[in-house]
Structure formats: structure tokens, C-alpha cells
Amino acid sequence: MSQEKNIIMVGDINICYLSDMYGSNNYISVLYSYGLYNTIQKPTREETYGNTVVSSCLDHVNVKLDPNNSYISFLIESKIADHYWTGIKLLETCTDGTHQTMENEYKSVILTGRVNELIQTENWWPILDLREPSDIYNDIVMRFENIYAKSVIKVKQKTKQLHNSWFNDRIKLMIERKNYLWQMVKRDKHNVDLRNQFRNIRNKLTDMIRNEKRKYYYRAFNDNSNNTKKIWEITNHFINKKNRPSLKESIKLNFNINEDHQIMNLTEKFKNSFKEKIEEITTEMNGQHFDIIPHLKEGNYTIGDRMSMNLKKMKEHQLYSIINKLNNRSSAGPDKIRPKDIINNIFYLKLILMHLINRIIETGKIPQRLKITHLRPIFKNGTKKNVGSYRPIGSISVIMKILEHFICMQLNQYLINQNIIMMLNMGLFQKNQQ
């Protein structure tokens, strides 16, 4: 732990930091030996005990930060519960000596409405004069890059918080009353009547919160009994299940990644691991093919004719059929073109897409950039710290998806027209090993 640059340890430690007892001093010594400092120096719990009010600092925020980083810790002295709320906000020192929050407060957002407007007003016609598939594809990508650049705005990040819908005005008023009585008790510590009033309203508040939670979740489960997604959302809210870390965060955590060069080294290891898996599969499949059994009778066609297929050019209705099958919520591929922008504006983009795909079919050339696939490692089984325990998930361009769907469409139609599927089922094909 002492080797880590940044450590934050938060929790109800149940050791009073303000006490001079041996256990407290020993605890503080252990913290200091690891470079940790407790940022909360005030009582975090105040409660009546007998005829007195006892105070203790049990909720600790211990930090060890890189010199370039700073923080603001805080204590909310409101009697919402027995313990006061504590927190910490991380800051990062800027070059001018000021501070900014370490988390990204603003993010870039592409305005879909603006994208649609620019696509519909863009002059796509010059692309139809291009003949090389690579030139056509590069021009399309360049125009989309310009459109996205003109459609980006910066918005402030919203912290994802689960709203406690059971919290209502009655609970709020009860909390305010409880806080008021608590301040009165602190001023007049020997007033038995005030202490009894405080205990009474504290217990009522606890019962009220418990009952309101019970009623809220009962209604929520009943109202959404046919919505599985909503049921799981309510369940996770009820058990206070936190959101899963992102894939990038999980990889960094599992492989203890802190520096950029470590990420590059890990990426190389994943690449080699996936490459070895592909080579193993290729070796297993090498030499296997299907042949028609020799006694299959020929009709008005030759066996060679049956086993050959020529790709035809794409027609407009075929493009629309493929577009209708695409997922509007899929993420963009390596070329950053979002599928929903193609789907929403297919009327304006259909000619250039058909032109690109038909030129690929005519020339037999697929642009090199269109072949790029972004691979993401997804944990499969085994040890999470072993690259061999992950499988690759590929992300390709939406244009490549359209091309693949079109080829698959023609292949399926060919197999049906030539009765090859039926012959496979009848055993008229055999697999040979060479």
C-alpha cells in the first residue's frame, strides 16, 4: 500500500480520532507510517448518553495524495442520522497554480438534430463522380468528421444518482424538527424533557422512513410487474447496488495499470493472445471443405455452375431492407460514423452508400480503412489477471455492416435457389479432409 501514489480510505472506523486513548494513538501512528492523513478533525457523531451529550470522530477520511493533487474534505453537521455525513472532493493543480476537479466536469456531446440538419444540407453529389472505392469511402468519412465537428457542444456532467422517491415533505419536516431539537439539547445538556422529546421524534422518524420505503417499493414492483428491465432497476436501487465499472476501469484494476506505457504493453499482450487463438482456429479448419458426392446427377446445369456465385449490384429496396435491420443504438465503429445517423438520414445517403458498395463489388476492392476492426477484451472465464481468460469483441464500421449484410443476403438467396440447403440436409454433400 505504501507504494501507491494516491490512496483514499473512507469509512466508519469506530476509533475516535479525537481521543487520547492508546488504541487511537496506535491507529494514528499506523496511518502516518503509510503516509495517510485523516482530513476530518471534528466530531462526526454526537448523541445523548444518559444525562450527557457525547461527541466522537468515528467517520474517517484518510488520504495519501500525489503532490500534484489536492482535496477539499467536508462535514455536513445536520442530524439526518446518528452520524454526520462526511465527504471529500479531489482537486488537481493547474499550471497557473489554481485548482480544478480531477473528474471531468464537462463532456463533449454531439447534437443529433444538428447532425441530421447538416447531413440533409450537405452536397453529396461530387462523391458519385469518384470511381475508386477507397476515394469514395475516405470522402464519406471526411464529410462525417466535419459534420460531427460542427455539431459538438460541451455540457456539464451530471452525477448519476439514484433518486429516493420515497423521500417526501413529511420526512423532510420531521428531519428539520429533529435537527432543531438536537441543537436545543446541545445548548441545554441537562434538560431531561428536551432529551426525551429528541429521542421520541428520532424514533418516529426512523419508523416513518421505514414505512415510506416499504410502501414505495411495494407500489413500484406492482406497477412495473410486466417490465423486467424496470424491475431489475428497482431491485438494484433497493439493495443499493452500485453501477459496474467500465471495461477500461475493470482492465486497469485487474492488471494494476497506472501508467500509459503499461496500457500499451497490455494491449500488445492481448493482441498476441487473440492472434494465437485465431491461428489455432485457422489450423483446425485448414483443409476442410465440402464436395458434392460424385453420384449426384446433373440436370440442365453443371456442377461447377451450381457451386459458383456472382455478386450482383445493390438495389435501393435491398439497402432499405438492410437499414431496417440495423440497431439504432449501436456504437460507432473505427470511422466514428454513428449507425443512427445513417438510419435517420438514409433517404439523403442512399445514393452514395449504393455507389460505394457497388464499386466495391465491381472492382473487388475493399478500402483498407474499412477493414479496420477495434477489438475489446471481454472476460470469459478463468483468472481475470490472465490475458488468456478474455475473448475479443470486434467493433466495425456501420458501412462494413451494410456490406456484410448485403453479401449475406445474396449468399442466402443463392443457397435457397440452388437447393443447396436441402441437399445438405439430405446428405448429398460430404466433408473431406485433405
Side-chain angles (χ1 to χ4, degrees):
M1 182 172 68
S2 59
Q3 297 178 355
E4 297 292 335
K5 291 184 178 180
N6 298 295
I7 299 173
I8 302 175
M9 187 170 66
V10 181
D12 179 5
I13 307 299
N14 281 331
I15 298 176
C16 181
Y17 194 84
L18 303 179
S19 172
D20 293 329
M21 296 178 62
Y22 171 75
S24 174
N25 294 332
N26 189 37
Y27 167 72
I28 294 173
S29 298
V30 172
L31 291 180
Y32 283 169
S33 67
Y34 285 99
L36 287 162
Y37 172 73
N38 185 25
T39 67
I40 304 298
Q41 305 288 335
K42 297 181 65 177
T44 63
R45 175 167 180 166
E46 293 183 304
E47 195 58 87
T48 57
Y49 184 77
N51 295 326
T52 61
V53 176
V54 294
S55 301
S56 56
C57 181
L58 304 179
D59 305 274
H60 302 171
V61 180
N62 303 314
V63 301
K64 174 188 175 184
L65 295 179
D66 184 271
N68 293 326
N69 298 324
S70 185
Y71 65 88
I72 298 174
S73 61
F74 54 88
L75 180 71
I76 301 177
E77 294 181 324
S78 179
K79 202 65 177 166
I80 299 175
D82 291 342
H83 293 253
Y84 296 142
W85 286 6
T86 59
I88 183 170
K89 185 175 184 179
L90 298 180
L91 305 172
E92 185 174 18
T93 304
C94 302
T95 55
D96 59 359
T98 60
H99 292 89
Q100 64 181 8
T101 55
M102 292 180 66
E103 54 191 88
N104 294 325
E105 291 190 355
Y106 291 87
K107 65 176 180 179
S108 298
V109 174
I110 298 177
L111 298 177
T112 300
R114 177 62 174 161
V115 171
N116 294 338
E117 177 185 343
L118 292 175
I119 289 177
Q120 294 168 17
T121 56
E122 177 72 18
N123 181 17
W124 300 97
W125 298 109
I127 296 179
L128 299 179
D129 295 329
L130 301 175
R131 310 310 296 167
E132 280 296 319
S134 294
D135 295 337
I136 300 171
Y137 176 66
N138 291 337
D139 199 331
I140 293 173
V141 173
M142 181 191 68
R143 290 170 185 264
F144 267 98
E145 288 175 349
N146 293 334
I147 289 173
Y148 290 143
K150 296 176 182 178
S151 305
V152 171
I153 62 170
K154 293 283 187 178
V155 296
K156 193 165 185 177
Q157 296 249 46
K158 289 184 178 180
T159 305
K160 292 184 178 179
Q161 295 179 337
L162 291 173
H163 176 63
N164 291 324
S165 301
W166 48 264
F167 189 86
N168 53 38
D169 291 338
R170 291 177 59 234
I171 295 177
K172 182 179 178 181
L173 290 173
M174 187 74 77
I175 291 175
E176 291 174 352
R177 177 63 177 166
K178 177 185 174 183
N179 289 337
Y180 173 76
L181 283 173
W182 176 246
Q183 297 301 322
M184 297 292 291
V185 170
K186 290 173 66 176
R187 292 193 187 99
D188 190 359
K189 298 179 180 180
H190 302 290
N191 190 322
V192 177
D193 184 52
L194 277 177
R195 288 203 303 272
N196 290 335
Q197 288 185 52
F198 170 77
R199 292 193 185 102
N200 183 46
I201 198 169
R202 179 193 62 187
N203 295 337
K204 285 184 177 180
L205 176 60
T206 301
D207 291 339
M208 181 183 294
I209 291 175
R210 185 182 295 114
N211 291 331
E212 291 298 329
K213 279 185 178 181
R214 185 183 297 114
K215 289 190 292 185
Y216 166 75
Y217 285 110
Y218 180 80
R219 290 194 302 267
F221 280 115
N222 281 340
D223 295 343
N224 298 278
S225 58
N226 296 324
N227 189 336
T228 304
K229 182 179 180 180
K230 192 67 176 179
I231 287 293
W232 276 112
E233 182 181 327
I234 297 170
T235 302
N236 291 332
H237 186 187
F238 177 74
I239 64 178
N240 197 25
K241 183 178 179 180
K242 305 300 181 182
N243 292 330
R244 289 184 177 182
S246 66
L247 175 62
K248 185 176 181 180
E249 292 171 345
S250 298
I251 293 293
K252 281 187 173 184
L253 179 64
N254 293 330
F255 291 92
N256 194 24
I257 299 296
N258 297 314
E259 306 292 341
D260 290 341
H261 72 274
Q262 293 177 311
I263 295 179
M264 296 302 297
N265 293 336
L266 181 61
T267 300
E268 190 69 21
K269 290 180 181 178
F270 273 119
K271 185 190 77 172
N272 294 333
S273 175
F274 295 155
K275 184 178 179 181
E276 290 174 3
K277 292 291 184 182
I278 293 173
E279 289 175 350
E280 289 177 7
I281 296 173
T282 303
T283 301
E284 292 177 2
M285 296 298 296
N286 189 29
Q288 297 186 15
H289 66 281
F290 287 92
D291 281 339
I292 297 179
I293 295 177
H295 67 261
L296 179 64
K297 295 182 179 180
E298 299 181 23
N300 297 324
Y301 51 83
T302 65
I303 294 178
D305 290 335
R306 182 181 292 276
M307 297 304 294
S308 64
M309 183 187 77
N310 294 322
L311 290 176
K312 298 179 177 61
K313 290 185 178 181
M314 174 180 280
K315 297 180 180 179
E316 187 174 314
H317 72 275
Q318 294 171 320
L319 176 60
Y320 275 104
S321 175
I322 294 170
I323 292 297
N324 290 334
K325 296 177 183 177
L326 295 179
N327 187 351
N328 193 47
R329 300 175 64 183
S330 296
S331 58
D335 56 16
K336 307 299 183 184
I337 299 178
R338 304 186 303 179
K340 66 179 180 181
D341 298 326
I342 297 289
I343 296 171
N344 294 338
N345 300 280
I346 188 58
F347 177 80
Y348 302 92
L349 300 172
K350 60 184 178 182
L351 293 181
I352 64 166
L353 291 176
M354 290 170 57
H355 179 54
L356 171 59
I357 291 173
N358 289 336
R359 286 302 298 163
I360 290 175
I361 292 173
E362 289 174 352
T363 62
K365 299 177 183 178
I366 299 179
Q368 290 297 323
R369 289 181 63 188
L370 196 55
K371 298 178 183 179
I372 296 175
T373 301
H374 283 173
L375 295 180
R376 304 170 65 212
I378 303 297
F379 177 71
K380 187 176 181 181
N381 52 42
T383 305
K384 291 187 176 182
K385 295 184 179 181
N386 180 11
V387 294
S389 300
Y390 292 77
R391 60 183 176 88
I393 292 293
S395 174
I396 63 176
S397 167
V398 62
I399 296 178
M400 177 58 86
K401 289 181 182 180
I402 295 173
L403 176 61
E404 289 182 351
H405 277 295
F406 180 57
I407 294 175
C408 182
M409 179 188 297
Q410 293 200 54
L411 179 59
N412 286 337
Q413 191 60 49
Y414 172 79
L415 294 176
I416 293 172
N417 293 341
Q418 299 296 328
N419 293 322
I420 293 178
I421 299 296
M422 181 187 69
M423 289 189 291
L424 278 170
N425 293 331
M426 294 173 60
L428 296 178
F429 285 82
Q430 63 182 7
K431 183 170 74 172
N432 294 334
Q433 285 283 132
Q434 290 186 349

